[in-house]
Amino acid sequence: MFLKSLTALNFKSYSQVEVEFHPKLNCFVGDNGQGKTNLLDIIYYLSICKSAFNPVDSQNIKHAEDFFIIQGIYDRDEKDETIFCAVKQSEGKVFKRNGKEYPRLADHVGLLPVVIISPADLSLIVDGSEERRKYINSVISQFDRQYLDELIRYNRVLAQRNKMLKDLDGRNNFSVDLVEVLDEQLAKIGEIIFKKRNDFVDKLIPIFQNYYTTISGREEKVELVYQSQVKDEDFRTLLSSSFSKDRMIQFTSVGIHKDDLTLMLNNHPIKKEGSQGQQKTYLIALKLAQFEFMRSISGVRPILLLDDIFDKLDINRVENFIKLVSDDSFGQIFITDTNKGRLNEILDQLHSGFKLFRVDSGSVAEVAGKD
């Protein structure tokens, strides 16, 4: 599976752009702020139905315009797939596959798997638990349709329970039956999500550890620890015992919506322990493990998007990384960098074909290539 061509109108910095890609490696070079990352975001958007960097659709429309259109033509199983998306101010989003509109956006997620590695990934280390839950959800949703459906159902029931808690507002009379129904639904769905998350993390850990050692060249101990209140106690019991507290604070304080993933280096949270180079290596290894896991599950090699990942890495880690992604187990790769000399050195080390593009003020031009 690979992206053959891309067209965009009024997406972020682009008034109009049309690009044809190489099936293996595509590199974008240019100064900061010229639109390199926005190209990767278009590719991500066509796979996941939303931006990797700004979830508010209308804010991805170019300034002073009232709509954007993006379209990609893919080779999937040696057949063309045309994916179209249009967003207009105040009118929502239209997503089509081969001219037919999806009834639900969730039905598209997973068709064109993608993995992005970017400086924004640092939020997985420095930000709160919500960022790490989003990461887990985005990965599992790409290969497990039931998981995405259950997650949507869970959030709907959770919203109903929270609304009920707010509506009580100190009243003593309330429907015990309604509380029990909502708690039963939340617990049943939550247990399914917990099991899928737990299985995913357990299987991801050894792959992640292997990638970290390969890239870093060091025998450092790295771990992923999945934390959930549901691990040690029945979810239904948790909800019952927390009801009085939840009434007081007017939201549901327990459940899988409080889960977290602790990122450990040498028995300490990497947020406190790791250098910038170690943190970047950690995140790259995590995303490559995600790539391999998704490939093994689906049998499809995800598109790999690498946004400015070489900064803060020493030359040995860069070389180890390049050796990894040049392997035949990887499919189509997109790389952005501000340093053309560094990109040229990387391309010289690879034996695969490529296209090199210069990005300047919202325009994209091919400047080199090899079949």
Side-chain angles (χ1 to χ4, degrees), residues 43-284:
I43 300 169
Y44 185 90
Y45 206 120
L46 288 170
S47 287
I48 307 298
C49 302
K50 62 182 179 180
S51 165
F53 307 105
N54 191 335
V56 181
D57 290 319
S58 62
Q59 293 178 9
N60 295 299
I61 299 174
K62 183 176 172 63
H63 182 65
E65 302 292 345
D66 65 354
F67 74 95
F68 77 69
I69 292 173
I70 53 177
Q71 179 174 285
I73 299 177
Y74 295 77
D75 183 305
R76 188 176 184 275
D77 296 330
E78 299 183 348
K79 295 180 181 178
D80 279 358
E81 294 273 2
T82 300
I83 307 301
F84 170 93
C85 175
V87 171
K88 191 171 184 179
Q89 293 280 14
S90 305
E91 291 190 16
K93 178 160 47 185
V94 174
F95 227 93
K96 297 180 180 180
R97 175 186 179 188
N98 299 325
K100 184 177 180 180
E101 185 173 354
Y102 281 101
R104 302 188 317 155
L105 294 178
D107 294 335
H108 176 70
V109 177
L111 177 72
L112 306 167
V114 66
V115 174
I116 185 169
I117 307 177
S118 82
D121 294 331
L122 189 61
S123 63
L124 292 173
I125 292 176
V126 301
D127 288 356
S129 61
E130 182 179 1
E131 288 300 316
R132 292 178 286 278
R133 285 194 302 275
K134 285 180 180 177
Y135 169 71
I136 293 174
N137 291 339
S138 68
V139 178
I140 303 177
S141 295
Q142 287 195 67
F143 64 81
D144 189 329
R145 182 63 54 81
Q146 183 197 13
Y147 179 87
L148 182 56
D149 289 342
E150 296 294 353
L151 190 63
I152 292 169
R153 289 179 59 210
Y154 182 90
N155 289 331
R156 186 181 300 127
V157 176
L158 178 64
Q160 291 175 330
R161 190 179 193 271
N162 287 340
K163 183 179 185 304
M164 176 198 68
L165 292 169
K166 290 179 181 179
D167 289 345
L168 291 178
D169 194 24
R171 289 185 292 140
N172 292 324
N173 295 324
F174 60 91
S175 172
V176 176
D177 289 342
L178 177 58
V179 174
E180 291 182 349
V181 167
L182 291 176
D183 285 3
E184 192 65 36
Q185 290 180 343
L186 208 60
K188 182 178 179 180
I189 302 168
E191 289 286 354
I192 295 172
I193 294 172
F194 164 75
K195 184 179 186 306
K196 288 179 178 291
R197 286 178 177 175
N198 197 51
D199 290 347
F200 164 67
V201 175
D202 281 349
K203 292 173 181 175
L204 190 71
I205 288 172
I207 308 172
F208 159 67
Q209 291 171 330
N210 180 63
Y211 272 122
Y212 184 90
T213 300
T214 301
I215 298 171
S216 68
R218 298 179 181 179
E219 291 296 329
E220 295 172 329
K221 184 180 180 182
V222 291
E223 297 175 277
L224 304 171
V225 182
Y226 174 43
Q227 297 179 327
S228 178
Q229 297 164 323
V230 183
K231 260 188 176 180
D232 301 317
E233 193 168 349
D234 176 71
F235 195 178
R236 184 69 180 78
T237 303
L238 279 172
L239 289 168
S240 296
S241 60
S242 69
F243 181 71
S244 296
K245 175 186 175 182
D246 291 352
R247 280 195 67 187
M248 185 181 303
I249 61 179
Q250 297 187 349
F251 67 86
T252 305
S253 61
V254 296
I256 55 98
H257 57 286
K258 297 292 184 179
D259 288 358
D260 200 356
L261 185 66
T262 305
L263 312 180
M264 305 291 288
L265 172 67
N266 296 328
N267 297 316
H268 297 282
I270 192 169
K271 180 177 181 179
K272 299 178 180 179
E273 175 76 7
S275 66
Q276 287 183 321
Q278 286 174 315
Q279 290 184 356
K280 195 149 195 177
T281 303
Y282 197 104
L283 293 169
I284 291 172

Side-chain angles (χ1 to χ4, degrees), residues 283-301:
L283 293 169
I284 291 172
L286 180 61
K287 292 299 192 77
L288 290 183
Q290 171 190 336
F291 176 98
E292 184 173 326
F293 184 85
M294 290 169 63
R295 178 178 61 83
S296 66
I297 293 291
S298 67
V300 177
R301 291 179 296 187

